[in-house]
Amino acid sequence: MLENYSMQELQELGGREVLDANGKSVGFVDLVFVDDPTGRPEWLGIWSGLPGKGPRVIVPLRGIEHVEGEIRVPWARDVIMSAPSYDDEDDRGLLRDDPDGIAISPEKERVAYQHYGVEPLTERPEGMSGPRFRAVLIEIRTIQRRR
């Protein structure tokens, strides 16, 4: 399960195709979102791979398998495609030291956990009001798409 992967192992998944519970493609690994206070990865950013086509959605690491080169999520395509997305509104810009950073807002975090029906791997620190999950850029590799 990907929730047990190290950050280095997750970064190596950049650009790999992601399959839903039925084996259908839902996009490619774009970003890894880590918990700022602990540094623990908790979300994957999935992208359709085509600029302007389809949403960039967040998917919890919990339950995702990486077997024989395939990344499989335990949800159907329609669940994933209707999940909270990350886009320009999530750019932290002036809010943090990272001008190119993307973060998951507390509201989007709450909605995403409800959407997938999972609990956080780590609890939100008491008194923390801003975003706690930030995107970590990963090296995107060109990989053959499954046919």
Side-chain angles (χ1 to χ4, degrees):
M1 298 292 176
L2 291 191
E3 64 263 30
N4 298 319
Y5 273 39
S6 70
M7 197 56 216
Q8 181 178 351
E9 290 171 312
L10 289 170
Q11 287 178 318
E12 292 173 5
L13 300 179
R16 293 200 186 259
E17 187 173 22
V18 179
L19 306 176
D20 77 353
N22 301 311
K24 295 179 183 173
S25 178
V26 293
F28 301 87
V29 176
D30 182 37
L31 297 171
V32 176
F33 290 88
V34 299
D35 181 17
D36 265 346
T38 66
R40 181 177 187 167
E42 190 148 348
W43 298 92
L44 279 185
I46 307 296
W47 181 39
S48 70
L50 301 171
K53 302 287 183 189
R56 291 179 174 224
V57 295
I58 56 176
V59 179
L61 285 175
R62 180 174 291 145
I64 298 179
E65 296 179 326
H66 181 217
V67 179
E68 298 177 8
E70 291 185 346
I71 300 172
R72 292 187 173 268
V73 297
W75 299 280
R77 180 179 174 80
D78 61 329
V79 172
I80 296 164
M81 291 298 120
S82 63
S85 64
Y86 57 98
D87 46 35
D88 290 342
E89 75 180 40
D90 300 300
D91 188 335
R92 290 206 224 196
L94 300 173
L95 300 177
R96 299 294 283 232
D97 295 338
D98 183 1
D100 297 320
I102 296 173
I104 300 172
S105 71
E107 176 62 17
K108 193 170 285 191
E109 174 188 340
R110 185 188 62 73
V111 170
Y113 283 122
Q114 287 178 343
H115 179 80
Y116 287 107
V118 298
E119 294 294 321
L121 292 172
T122 54
E123 290 299 319
R124 174 176 276 279
E126 192 172 322
M128 183 177 199
S129 60
R132 74 172 176 146
F133 294 108
R134 66 178 171 82
V136 175
L137 296 176
I138 57 178
E139 181 180 334
I140 302 296
R141 293 175 172 80
T142 303
I143 297 184
Q144 288 283 6
R145 185 173 181 170
R146 192 173 75 95
R147 293 180 196 254

